[in-house]
């Protein structure tokens, strides 16, 4: 510390004080902003304090989050502007690749009905393949809408108001890569592409990942940019942060080992800086982007601690204002789009992609609108990312759409599970696997096969074929076979069970109504066999044919199917079985459901209504069922049966703890009240027969779906303890 202070004082002493304050011959000051994940937001506080101390910054290099903050600063954003912007960012949405669920197609929303986990595996010619990162960072480029974020830097990052260098690592050679020109946002993404978290970024034929692998605080890079004085800012772990007497487990040991390795490289870098600012943030994990205010304040405190070393670099108020005016935001009018080009090496039709881009030649570039359009393209499920670049000179530019296909296509494999256990029913477990082949043809044909084992076993193969490039009209042929067992109750007491085997196929014709819903008509043909599984039941079994037409209208604008916090979803279906269509029985069946959710602060309120009825010779295996948590709570699952049903419920969830970020667990307390019953036929329905139910539960939201433990009680005097996992709130009981 003393050596660096002496060096700086000698440097300043050789220049007259008036020259240091006002002359172009003053020392060139550079700042090296280090990596550190969420802790890197502390750089904003560091830059704010340097601004308050009137210390000019003439050069900046950044690694990872240091590159993110550094790029905005070098574009001329005042530190206070950056501060205000990052506080408004919804990091929970930004750091998840899946678009806002309300914006994706109805078909992709319907995937949630099968309890599938959000992780994908690919099957390629080389075998099983994994995602290249947990988060693709698709939404990162839309944080800010300033046009120069996308137009500046193509002739070189020295042309920015403050010269800038993002630093990355070549994944193949291990070399440090100092990026000097090109697409600024892509360069920053490369610098922050932490292995395992984000996929690598390809630039000029090189595969680039996070710069921290080779240089955590790029002091030498700033020095090579011509800086006479370098301020190195370290925001990651530093000795002294780990409390003495810490209890170690395997994860914490591995994390600490990573910290120690990183520090062994960082310490020599900081030693090479003229001033080393170490920001200590022991309470902020690398991944917790929700603690923006705390990180920024930690940066301010770190500069305050180095105030005496930094003050010799300060300018007079007048000189600093002149410097600030020269590096401030340049007036940049949004560019005019002269043409829209598509760099499309993927299997998706270019016409399909361009139909989702609402910007047109002659329009003024609207970054939020374009980000929304790219999200619609990304929602096709085929792309690892959908990027863009602007080429040409202002005011007119060429907009180039640049989709990158998932490297593990063409086959995608997913798994899932659901468990339902209570003290009145047999436990139920369902394991699901799905293999999907996307983009079979230019119109977006898709084939998928499902296999289910456990309490319910079965398999299905489906071909989904859009009939034109907008993918509005489609046909769906499929084949299926399955078997499941259902408990039979006398009142609330289980007396036996019967097994139902089904097989057959269907052919559907449908219409997508924007991204909100779907209308589909389907012809079903197959067979059904029922037989007694256990107990002495009145129904001895049945062998029958199935032939029916089905009309379904669906609407889904929920933000989350597992635990919705906002939006509305509903459906209405009719089923008409006729002997003339090949069925053994003549009957009609109709039912619908509606669910809505809203959130205020830490409270989420949910409501759900379901009802249905039938006419004709309804077979036993087609009866409606009710019973279970949130479906007339307190009575056994499926213990109510009949040709008609109705129920309504409302509940509240209180968010107790947990980060609202991707793959993070969150704890909730829940309360639910409902009312409902089943009847032999619709004319028997009566408010006097309604059964009231209520439950209290503890809910853990995980990447693999909700896990819930609760106790419910009904007005019939029955109480039930529940344990269930992977059961989605928005899943209707009778589908």
């Amino acid at each position: 510390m003393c050596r660096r202070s002496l060096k700086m004082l000698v440097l300043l002493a050789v220049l007259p004080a008036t020259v240091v304050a006002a002359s172009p011959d003053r020392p060139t000051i550079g700042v090296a902003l280090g990596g550190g994940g969420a802790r890197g937001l502390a750089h904003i506080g560091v830059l704010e304090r340097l601004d308050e101390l009137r210390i000019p910054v003439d050069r900046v290099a950044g690694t990872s989050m240091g590159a993110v903050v550094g790029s905005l600063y070098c574009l001329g954003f005042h530190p206070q502007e950056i501060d205000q912007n990052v506080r408004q960012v919804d990091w929970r949405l930004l750091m998840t690749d899946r678009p806002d669920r309300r914006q994706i197609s109805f078909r992709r929303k319907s995937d949630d009905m099968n309890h599938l986990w959000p992780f994908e595996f690919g099957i390629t010619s080389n075998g099983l393949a994994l995602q290249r990162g947990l988060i693709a960072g698709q939404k990162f480029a839309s944080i800010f809408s300033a046009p120069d974020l996308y137009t500046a830097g193509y002739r070189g990052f020295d042309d920015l108001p403050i010269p800038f260098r993002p630093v990355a690592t070549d994944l193949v050679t291990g070399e440090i890569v100092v990026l000097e020109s090109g697409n600024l946002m892509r360069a920053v993404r490369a610098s922050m592409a932490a292995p395992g978290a984000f996929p690598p970024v390809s630039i000029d034929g090189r595969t680039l990942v996070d710069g921290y692998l080779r240089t955590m605080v790029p002091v030498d890079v700033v020095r090579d940019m011509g800086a006479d004085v370098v301020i190195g800012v370290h925001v990651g772990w530093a000795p002294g942060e780990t409390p003495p007497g810490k209890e170690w487990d395997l994860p914490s040991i591995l994390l600490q080992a990573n910290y120690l390795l990183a520090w062994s490289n960082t310490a020599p870098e900081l030693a090479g800086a003229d001033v080393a600012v170490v920001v200590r943030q022991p309470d902020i994990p690398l991944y917790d982007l929700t603690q923006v205010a705390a990180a920024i304040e930690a940066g301010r405190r770190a500069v305050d601690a180095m105030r005496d070393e930094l003050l010799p670099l300060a300018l007079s108020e007048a000189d600093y204002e002149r410097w600030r005016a020269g590096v401030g935001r340049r007036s940049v009018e949004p560019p005019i789009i002269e043409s829209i080009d598509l760099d499309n090496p993927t299997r998706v039709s270019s016409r399909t992609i361009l139909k989702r881009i609402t910007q047109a030649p002659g329009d003024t570039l609207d970054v939020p609108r374009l980000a929304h359009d790219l999200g619609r393209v990304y929602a096709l499920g085929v792309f690892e990312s959908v990027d863009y670049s602007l080429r040409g000179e202002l005011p007119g530019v060429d907009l180039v759409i640049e989709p990158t296909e998932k490297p593990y296509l063409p086959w995608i494999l997913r798994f899932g599970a659901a468990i339902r256990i209570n003290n009145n029913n047999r436990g139920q477990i369902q394991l699901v696997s799905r293999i999907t082949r996307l983009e079979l043809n230019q119109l977006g044909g898709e084939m998928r096969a499902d296999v289910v084992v456990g309490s319910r076993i079965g398999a299905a193969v489906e071909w989904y074929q859009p009939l034109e490039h907008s993918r509005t009209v489609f046909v769906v042929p499929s084949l299926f076979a399955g078997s499941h067992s259902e408990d039979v109750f006398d009142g609330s007491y289980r007396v036996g069970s019967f097994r139902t085997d089904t097989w057959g196929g269907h052919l559907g014709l449908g219409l997508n109504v924007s991204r909100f819903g779907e209308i589909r008509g389907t012809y079903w043909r197959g067979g059904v066999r029922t037989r007694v599984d256990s107990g002495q039941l009145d129904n001895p079994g049945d062998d029958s044919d199935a032939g029916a037409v089905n009309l379904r209208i669906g609407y889904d604008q929920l933000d989350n199917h597992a635990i919705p916090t906002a939006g509305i979803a509903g459906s209405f279906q009719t089923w008409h079985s006729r002997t003339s269509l090949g069925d053994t029985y003549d009957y009609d069946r109709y039912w619908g459901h509606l669910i809505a959710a809203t959130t205020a602060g830490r409270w989420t309120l949910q409501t759900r209504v379901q009802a249905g009825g039938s006419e004709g010779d309804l077979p036993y295996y087609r009866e409606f069922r009710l019973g279970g948590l949130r479906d007339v709570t307190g009575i056994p699952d499926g213990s109510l049966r009949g040709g008609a049903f109705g129920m309504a419920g409302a509940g509240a969830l209180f968010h107790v703890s947990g980060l609202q970020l991707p793959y993070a667990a969150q704890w909730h307390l829940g309360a639910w009240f409902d009312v409902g019953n089943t009847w032999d036929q619709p004319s028997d329905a009566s408010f006097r027969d309604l059964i009231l139910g209520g439950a209290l539960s503890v809910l853990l939201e995980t990447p693999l779906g909700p896990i819930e433990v609760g106790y419910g009680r009904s007005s019939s005097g029955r109480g039930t303890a529940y344990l269930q996992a992977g059961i989605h709130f928005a899943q209707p009981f009778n589908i």
Side-chain angles (χ1 to χ4, degrees), residues 649-662:
L653 288 175
F654 178 75
H655 181 254
V656 177
S657 64
L659 299 176
Q660 296 186 12
L661 293 172

Side-chain angles (χ1 to χ4, degrees), residues 213-284:
L213 295 174
R214 288 300 311 275
T215 176
M216 180 68 86
V217 184
V219 171
D220 290 341
V221 175
V222 179
R223 191 83 67 188
D224 291 342
M225 294 173 71
D228 300 313
V229 177
V230 178
I231 302 171
V233 184
H234 177 58
V235 295
W237 180 90
E241 284 193 14
T242 305
K246 176 181 174 64
E247 295 186 6
W248 298 97
D249 55 15
L250 181 58
S252 62
I253 291 172
L254 294 175
L255 186 62
Q256 184 74 2
N258 184 62
Y259 288 158
L260 294 174
L261 287 172
W263 179 254
S264 68
N265 294 324
T266 304
E269 292 176 329
L270 292 176
D274 298 291
V275 179
V277 178
V278 177
V279 185
R280 299 189 181 276
Q281 307 172 79
D283 297 327
I284 300 180

Side-chain angles (χ1 to χ4, degrees), residues 16-188:
T18 56
V19 173
V20 172
S23 168
D25 295 328
R26 67 170 174 80
T28 300
I29 301 171
V31 175
L33 303 177
R39 295 163 61 131
L41 295 172
H43 290 309
I44 301 170
V46 170
L47 294 171
E48 285 180 349
R49 274 293 191 265
L50 293 179
D51 180 68
E52 292 169 4
L53 293 174
R54 301 195 301 275
I55 296 173
V57 177
D58 305 300
R59 306 284 188 273
V60 176
T63 293
S64 198
M65 188 62 84
V68 176
V69 176
S71 65
L72 297 171
Y73 183 75
C74 289
L75 280 168
F77 283 93
H78 193 279
Q80 288 290 346
E81 292 180 272
I82 305 174
D83 187 323
Q84 293 169 9
N85 276 293
V86 299
R87 290 176 191 265
Q88 295 169 1
V89 171
D90 187 340
W91 294 99
R92 180 179 59 88
L93 291 178
L94 183 68
M95 301 305 290
T96 181
D97 293 321
R98 185 170 186 176
D100 184 337
R101 187 178 182 275
R102 290 164 287 194
Q103 304 300 321
I104 65 177
S105 69
F106 190 85
R107 179 163 179 80
R108 295 282 75 90
K109 291 172 185 172
S110 68
D111 290 342
D112 297 335
M113 302 282 282
N114 298 91
H115 314 296
L116 294 169
W117 298 328
F119 308 109
E120 292 183 345
F121 302 88
I123 300 177
T124 69
S125 57
N126 296 321
L128 198 65
L130 303 176
Q131 299 173 217
R132 300 199 301 172
L134 289 175
I135 305 167
Q138 171 62 28
K139 300 179 183 178
F140 173 75
S142 60
I143 302 177
F144 302 101
S145 59
D148 48 336
L149 278 167
Y150 310 92
T151 58
Y154 281 92
R155 289 182 296 184
F157 297 149
D158 283 340
D159 287 343
L160 304 183
I162 299 174
F164 173 60
R165 295 289 186 274
V167 181
T169 303
D170 189 310
L171 185 61
V172 177
T173 66
E175 296 175 288
I176 296 174
V177 179
V178 180
L179 297 162
E180 299 181 356
S181 65
N183 185 318
L184 177 60
M185 293 301 293
R186 188 172 299 160
V188 171

Side-chain angles (χ1 to χ4, degrees), residues 19 31 53 131 213 215 217-218 275 285 307 326 355 361 441 448 463 468 528 530 542 548 578 606 661 663:
V19 173
V31 175
L53 293 174
Q131 299 173 217
L213 295 174
T215 176
V217 184
V275 179
R307 183 184 180 91
K355 277 184 174 291
N441 49 52
R448 70 185 184 194
W463 184 293
E468 29 72 57
V528 181
T530 62
D542 188 15
R578 294 291 185 270
Q606 299 170 334
L661 293 172
Y663 311 113

Side-chain angles (χ1 to χ4, degrees), residues 28 89 243 324 328 446 469 476 524 534 573 586 644 659:
T28 300
V89 171
R324 168 54 67 189
E446 173 183 324
H469 286 282
V476 188
W524 297 76
S534 65
Q573 298 192 51
D586 285 314
L659 299 176

